Structures are given as C-alpha cells and as structure tokens.
Amino acid sequence: MTEPSLGKIDRSFFEDHIATRLGAGRDDVALGPTHGVDFGVVDVGGQALVTATDPISILPELGLERAARFALDLILADVAVSGIPPSHLSICFTLPPEMSDEAFATVWETIHTECTDLGVAVVTGHTARYSGCSYPWVGGATVLGVGNHEDVIRPDGARVGDRLLLTTGPAAEAVGLLSTLFGDRVGVSGPTLEAAQSRLEDVYCVRDALTAAATGPVTAMHDVTEGGLAGALNEMAAGSGTQFRVDRESVPLAPGVAEVCAALEFDPWKATSCGSLLIAVEPDSVNDVCEALEARETRVAEIGTVRPRDSEDAPAVLASGDPLEHPVADPSWEAYARLLDGEGNE
C-alpha cells in the first residue's frame, strides 16, 4: 500500500471513487464535478449559478492582512475563471484555539473590505474554535456567481486555432511562499531572496480573470494551482480534446523563481502558482486581452497555440516539440515539508 501524497487526490482516484458517486442525479446540474474544471454550474430559472468550494488557508507568518487577502482571492478565483463575477460567499471557520479574537478580527476585516470592493456579499457562515484544528487550514468556503449560461467560460472550452496566454508565470506562488516563510534557508540570499519574496504580490488573479473575460472572446481559462503550469496545460488540453503546443522560451519566469526552484531542486513548471492564469483566446482578440491585462500591470505572454489532437495516444501537450506530462504530485509540497523539518539549503 503506497503512502498517500500531499495535495489534491490524483485523477485515477477521482474517476474511480468520486466521479461515479455524486449523490442524486438532477436535471438542473449543468456541470458537475469534473477533473481539471474549477467550478460547477446549476441551472436556476434559466440562469447559470456558478459555484466552487475550497479550503481556507491562513498563514500568520505572512502577516494576517496579507494572509487573509491571499486566502480570499484563492477561494474566489475558481468562480472568477468562469467569467462570471463572484457575487455571494458562504464561509466556515474552524479556528485553532490559539487564534485570538483580535487576530480573527483582523482577518475578517480584510475579507470584508476585499469582498466589498469586489461586490461579493457574505450570505451565511459558521465561526468557532475547536481543539485539534491548526494553521494553516482553518475552514472552508463556497462561492457563488450568477450569470447567463452562454457567458460561462469553461476550462475545457479551448478550440483549434486559439492562442494560449499565460499571466504572471510558473511557480510564483510556491517561490513567494517558501522564500517568505523560510528566508535564506531556501538557498538564495540578498537581492535574489528579496525578488523571490516579492512574488507574493503576484498571487492575486480574480480581477485579472474578470478583465480577460470582459475583453475576450476567451474560450477557456484555468488558474494555475497544484500541478503548476504542466498540470494546467494538460487539464485544459485533455478536457477540450485538443493538443496544446507551447514554446518554452516564451514562458516568462519572474525574478527569483528560477533561482529558488534550482536551489530547492524542483521544476517551476510543476509547482503551484496561484495568481497565474492560463487563457485560450481567439486569435483576433490576443492583442486586446494582453493590453487589458497589461493596463492592470499584470505580466502576460503568448506561449502557444491550440492544434488538433491526431489520436488518443498523441500527447495532450507538446513543449518545444517534446511531450509534457501531467505531474504525479506537486513538488512544492515536498519542498515545504523538507524546509519545515529543518532541511534547508543554507
């Protein structure tokens, strides 16, 4: 019996044990749980109710305000990538006993302020402390957004001829978190460490997703989370039945990313990068979408094209001509565990 890996369950377990057991079958479920798809859709009176659920992660070492904003953006992003603005939030906190009222008040004030700015209303929730609970996993939340069915952008909607855009770049989240939490134990120092730590400013993508969707036409969009860019590319390509051809040299690496990944010995393309979006765009809209994102001071690059997939045996993704597989596990989890155990690269 193999030891379970950290992070999301793998696709085979999902397909064998979850996808075939989804409770009652209902005609109003327009999109149910699907591997590689960030959200579900329910038809309510002819409107699309887009919904997604995620854990809440609060890392006090980041500073409570920044940790809360990061946690909220991660939660809202799974609906935002549908192109439908998130509008309602149901949130449950299972707080560790050591979290003070003052600390939680800071977290909640940050969530309230950001939700207000984004037009998101909190409609229900639960907040309590429980023994056995510990940072960073302090609860869960469900996000809702309501719009027209024809406006929903699915991660598996890429079409032959589309062009692929990438915002931010690979591993920004993993590098920003690890370098901030563990300092020069990640194996770099000085200006390189400072650049790596500043990657935490790249982890927000809700406004970028809504900007791209409003500018479009965007045919597919996926946030680059666990499994990194390699995972996101494979999930989008496999879902759409196409082949993604990517130019490795076109994929941007933000300052500090390559150095930290080299020091910790993991591939930046396989590491989680919240805040980075993989977007399939109709060719005539590439410049418009890029300009809209750049106006928000978001890095964006055209990295490839969507082509026909000749057969089921053909690779879903080619990176500079070579097959690119979906990672078995996200290597940033292992790096985090090593650093937590004191196995740094000082």
Side-chain angles (χ1 to χ4, degrees), residues 116-271:
T116 301
D117 189 60
L118 288 166
V120 176
V122 177
V123 292
T124 188
H126 175 90
T127 305
R129 293 183 181 87
Y130 297 104
S131 61
C133 295
S134 61
Y135 292 116
W137 307 109
V138 297
T142 295
V143 187
L144 307 173
V146 181
N148 297 322
H149 283 281
E150 58 267 26
D151 293 333
V152 174
I153 299 167
R154 290 177 48 150
D156 55 1
R159 299 187 294 239
V160 172
D162 286 346
R163 310 262 278 278
L164 299 172
L165 305 179
L166 180 70
T167 68
T168 303
E173 176 208 358
V175 166
L177 284 173
L178 294 175
S179 60
T180 299
L181 293 173
F182 299 104
D184 59 8
R185 286 174 54 198
V186 299
V188 301
S189 58
T192 301
L193 178 61
E194 293 175 6
Q197 292 171 335
S198 72
R199 298 282 63 81
L200 277 182
E201 298 308 311
D202 296 335
V203 299
Y204 310 108
C205 72
V206 169
R207 292 173 177 83
D208 287 341
L210 297 177
T211 295
T215 306
V218 168
T219 59
M221 186 157 44
H222 197 14
D223 56 339
V224 182
T225 53
E226 288 187 45
L229 178 58
L233 286 164
N234 273 278
E235 288 168 359
M236 278 182 62
S240 62
T242 61
Q243 184 180 76
F244 286 7
R245 298 187 185 179
V246 178
D247 175 18
R248 280 190 174 272
E249 296 301 317
S250 298
V251 174
L253 280 180
V257 169
E259 294 86 348
V260 169
C261 290
L264 294 176
E265 300 179 340
F266 66 78
D267 183 346
W269 280 43
K270 297 179 180 180

Side-chain angles (χ1 to χ4, degrees), residues 260-338:
V260 169
C261 290
L264 294 176
E265 300 179 340
F266 66 78
D267 183 346
W269 280 43
K270 297 179 180 180
T272 184
S273 190
C274 293
S276 187
L277 294 170
L278 180 62
I279 310 171
V281 183
E282 293 184 2
D284 292 344
S285 301
V286 168
N287 289 338
D288 290 341
V289 174
C290 286
E291 288 173 3
L293 290 167
E294 288 167 349
R296 287 190 30 77
E297 299 185 353
T298 296
R299 286 188 303 276
V300 59
E302 183 179 345
I303 65 167
T305 59
V306 181
R307 302 290 183 86
R309 190 173 180 185
D310 297 332
S311 69
E312 290 186 5
D313 295 331
V317 181
L318 291 176
S320 294
D322 296 324
L324 180 70
E325 301 293 333
H326 195 298
V328 175
D330 190 312
S332 62
W333 283 103
E334 182 181 346
Y336 176 79
R338 292 200 315 267

Side-chain angles (χ1 to χ4, degrees), residues 1-10 13 328-329 333-334 337 341:
M1 184 174 180
T2 58
E3 183 177 345
S5 59
L6 295 175
K8 291 182 181 178
I9 59 170
D10 62 30
F13 185 92
V328 175
W333 283 103
E334 182 181 346
D341 288 340

Side-chain angles (χ1 to χ4, degrees), residues 56 91-95 99 101 104-105 108 124-130 138:
I56 303 170
I91 193 162
C92 172
F93 286 98
T94 53
L95 304 176
M99 189 175 195
D101 286 352
F104 180 70
W108 188 251
T124 188
H126 175 90
T127 305
R129 293 183 181 87
Y130 297 104
V138 297

